Amino acid sequence: MQPLLQLKGIEKSFPGVKALSGAALTVYPGRVMALVGENGAGKSTMMKVLTGIYTRDAGSFEWLGKETTFNGPKASQEAGIGIIHQELNLIPQLSIAENIFLGREFVNGFGRIQWKAMYAKADALLQRLNLRFSSHKLVGDLSIGDQQMVEIAKVLSFESKVIIMDEPTDALTDTETASLFRVINELKAQGCGIVYISHRMKEIFEICDDVTIFRDGQFIAEREVNTLSEESLIEMMVGRKLEEQYPRLDKAPGGVLMSVEHLSGPGVNDVSFTLRKGEILGVAGLMGAGRTELMKVLYGALPRTGGTVTLDGKAAVSRSPEEGLMNGIVYISEDRKRDGLVLGMSVKENMSLTALKYFSHTGGRLKHAEEELAVGDFITLFNVKTPSMNQPIGLLSGGNQQKVAIARGLMTRPKVLILDEPTRGVDVGAKKEIYQLINQFKEEGLSIILVSSEMPEVLGMSDRVLVMHEGHLSGDFPIEQASQEILMAAAVGKQYSAELA
């Protein structure tokens, strides 16, 4: 099959770093090519070379059978290569049509915008994607999934032959993901080639035809997906066997540390449970079930409207995140870029931000030497890959950012550590390191609440699992009784039955 594009032997260096060395990627018409690798494997750099943001140092690039060099993203876009970024590039206050044709509006000879023709073209693009809303609608009124579809419509408006999707399901519900997969299959049928970048193994085996594996900036292999298992793919990505994906630590928890009785708040209705010392308590449920809202009410980021929380035998009232920290409850957000980190600040500043009282003199001056010593210890303990503690955290990979976010929580010396989606957007190698850290905290007696959308993660790491459904607690299972079927039944509001056991 004649490829749409083919990159071979791509080299790209930055001062002190070789980002790509002999990297390769081939995209075929009517097929989905997964591009996988750990964070820092070179996937993003390759996409920037492909779309003309970076100039390659060496190697060949054939587009539609001809050797090509794009001198910028506009040139690659006009040639027929579209990219849908992980973070959507849309303006909420503008209509769908205005977003699709921003900067290239339909104008007549006098420079006046031809609104009727532009909206008609935008409506036709939406119909091609089986979307039933009008292009007059404001983008800000759409769900994240529908905004993702608008990004695809924008790419199609360039008559794109190759579409790059970077973590496209990261913020989508299961229903929106199913709609996206239908669209991908339609694009395949129309002869488009798709590059699908994802950490989600299940999706790669469900939607992709081929897979290209990168490791440390190098091309490792290209395979047909149906010739691989999940284990063999992970092994090629990390360059070593993952003996166990979820390294459970079998250590019995201690006595009850926290008791939650009839807790209510925004999105949370009459929830009661206990948390033991040294216990990993998993929290499962579908998107919108109230898992994150429950954690935020516990921590003080959302108001408590009813119920009590007892911690270490004392009433713990958290009316703000500051009070939550004072009570010994730390919450690590699922959205580390928006809620968890200050991207313009350094690794050191992010890590010590909530624990500055431990590094301050009475007058408020910082004890810089002590701060740097503590940060250095955590960087070593967590194996954070950074050139220095003064590196802006926005330049680190997702896995390393997550490690810093967790380290910051631990610096406050908490009694309860709440981890909300701790491995979202994190590669398989960094996931294993985070799991090992969680086990280390458990070994030391820290109580952990692990909120996750990934059932295998909850089942693989927890001692006990709570399941949320529409703001209520719909199940509380010791790990010995839990299975994917039982958790899913509870997640959709069905009662536990013996047949599911």
Side-chain angles (χ1 to χ4, degrees):
M1 189 188 299
Q2 180 67 34
L4 292 169
L5 70 79
Q6 192 164 34
L7 295 98
K8 288 183 186 171
I10 302 297
E11 307 275 333
K12 182 63 186 176
S13 294
F14 301 98
V17 179
K18 183 130 193 181
L20 295 174
S21 177
L25 177 67
T26 306
V27 183
Y28 305 96
R31 291 180 75 82
V32 180
M33 173 63 78
L35 178 59
V36 301
E38 297 186 76
N39 287 328
K43 304 185 298 292
S44 296
T45 305
M46 189 67 154
M47 292 306 98
K48 287 174 180 175
V49 168
L50 166 58
T51 53
I53 295 170
Y54 292 158
T55 305
R56 62 188 182 274
D57 299 335
S60 65
F61 178 6
E62 288 189 5
W63 170 244
L64 305 179
K66 293 180 182 173
E67 181 65 27
T68 305
T69 297
F70 294 124
N71 58 11
K74 191 167 186 284
S76 63
Q77 202 171 43
E78 289 172 349
I81 298 174
I83 184 163
I84 299 162
H85 296 279
Q86 188 174 0
E87 286 160 9
L88 301 176
N89 294 314
L90 297 170
I91 300 171
Q93 297 81 6
L94 296 183
S95 70
I96 292 169
E98 288 170 317
N99 269 280
I100 290 173
F101 296 109
L102 189 63
R104 51 197 183 98
E105 292 80 1
F106 294 15
V107 293
N108 62 19
F110 299 102
R112 299 185 74 139
I113 295 175
Q114 298 176 292
W115 292 106
K116 193 173 177 183
M118 195 167 86
Y119 278 109
K121 178 65 175 173
D123 282 333
L125 288 166
L126 296 181
Q127 284 165 17
R128 186 175 163 191
L129 296 174
N130 292 322
L131 300 174
R132 306 207 170 161
F133 40 79
S134 162
S135 65
H136 285 78
K137 195 166 184 172
L138 291 182
V139 160
D141 294 337
L142 300 176
S143 71
I144 295 292
D146 286 336
Q147 289 183 28
Q148 189 84 271
M149 295 302 184
V150 172
E151 285 278 22
I152 294 173
K154 191 198 295 187
V155 164
L156 291 179
S157 73
F158 285 94
E159 300 300 323
S160 298
K161 299 175 182 69
V162 167
I163 299 171
I164 300 159
M165 298 184 178
D166 188 359
E167 298 284 357
T169 62
D170 209 27
L172 302 192
T173 63
D174 291 345
T175 306
E176 289 169 337
T177 297
S179 298
L180 176 66
F181 285 1
R182 276 197 300 275
V183 169
I184 288 174
N185 284 322
E186 285 166 20
L187 292 171
K188 280 172 61 177
Q190 293 162 17
C192 291
I194 313 281
V195 178
Y196 194 89
I197 303 172
S198 181
H199 290 304
R200 298 184 177 187
M201 296 288 126
K202 179 174 171 284
E203 292 179 5
I204 287 164
F205 284 89
E206 186 176 344
I207 197 65
C208 300
D209 303 293
D210 311 289
V211 58
T212 295
I213 301 115
F214 277 16
R215 187 169 72 239
D216 298 329
Q218 295 182 313
F219 170 80
I220 299 302
E222 179 191 306
R223 298 277 192 274
E224 288 190 15
V225 168
N226 59 17
T227 66
L228 296 169
S229 67
E230 191 169 314
E231 290 73 24
S232 61
L233 179 54
I234 290 172
E235 206 174 306
M236 281 193 279
M237 286 168 63
V238 300
R240 61 187 183 278
K241 280 188 184 293
L242 288 180
E243 297 76 25
E244 274 185 67
Q245 215 169 337
Y246 304 101
R248 178 196 302 285
L249 174 67
D250 285 319
K251 183 183 179 186
V256 171
L257 172 78
M258 183 167 73
S259 181
V260 176
E261 298 284 340
H262 307 294
L263 191 67
S264 295
V268 179
N269 193 356
D270 194 24
V271 170
S272 300
F273 65 92
T274 57
L275 175 67
R276 303 173 81 86
K277 289 178 182 172
E279 180 178 40
I280 298 177
L281 180 63
V283 180
L286 302 176
M287 279 187 76
R291 297 168 308 174
T292 293
E293 289 79 1
L294 173 60
M295 298 306 121
K296 288 187 171 180
V297 172
L298 277 175
Y299 175 57
L302 286 176
R304 183 192 306 181
T305 57
T308 60
V309 178
T310 307
L311 189 59
D312 252 349
K314 297 175 186 172
V317 180
S318 301
R319 287 166 296 227
S320 67
E322 186 180 13
E323 283 192 349
L325 287 171
M326 286 168 61
N327 287 326
I329 301 171
V330 159
Y331 172 71
I332 309 299
S333 170
E334 62 178 333
D335 188 345
R336 60 178 171 264
K337 289 192 173 173
R338 192 180 69 183
D339 298 335
L341 299 167
V342 185
L343 296 181
M345 290 171 72
S346 70
V347 170
K348 179 185 77 176
E349 290 163 333
N350 270 279
M351 203 181 280
S352 63
L353 195 58
T354 52
L356 290 177
K357 68 176 183 179
Y358 298 114
F359 309 115
S360 300
H361 293 283
T362 312
R365 283 186 304 109
L366 276 178
K367 302 173 184 175
H368 291 289
E370 288 183 26
E371 180 193 16
E372 288 181 10
L373 188 63
V375 169
D377 285 345
F378 271 106
I379 287 173
T380 303
L381 174 68
F382 281 31
N383 192 25
V384 178
K385 295 181 177 70
T386 177
S388 95
M389 65 177 67
N390 297 311
Q391 176 88 338
I393 199 161
L395 300 179
L396 267 58
S397 69
N400 286 301
Q401 288 182 0
Q402 188 69 332
K403 289 179 194 175
V404 172
I406 296 170
R408 182 171 74 186
L410 289 173
M411 268 200 176
T412 65
R413 305 169 195 175
K415 296 172 184 173
V416 176
L417 175 65
I418 301 172
L419 298 171
D420 196 349
E421 302 285 5
T423 63
R424 174 176 283 170
V426 171
D427 64 69
V428 287
K431 273 187 182 183
K432 184 78 180 285
E433 290 184 329
I434 289 170
Y435 295 147
Q436 285 165 338
L437 286 169
I438 290 170
N439 280 338
Q440 191 173 328
F441 309 150
K442 177 183 174 179
E443 179 75 56
E444 292 165 3
L446 184 62
S447 300
I448 298 161
I449 301 179
L450 174 64
V451 182
S452 179
S453 303
E454 295 187 32
M455 292 275 190
E457 182 170 87
V458 170
L459 289 165
M461 294 300 296
S462 308
D463 299 304
R464 190 160 52 94
V465 183
L466 305 180
V467 184
M468 295 286 291
H469 171 68
E470 294 183 352
H472 294 271
L473 202 60
S474 59
D476 184 342
F477 305 103
I479 199 65
E480 299 77 24
Q481 292 178 15
S483 68
Q484 290 215 33
E485 294 77 16
I486 287 169
L487 297 189
M488 186 51 72
V492 296
K494 290 183 182 173
Q495 288 298 311
Y496 167 75
S497 65
E499 299 108 54
L500 292 171

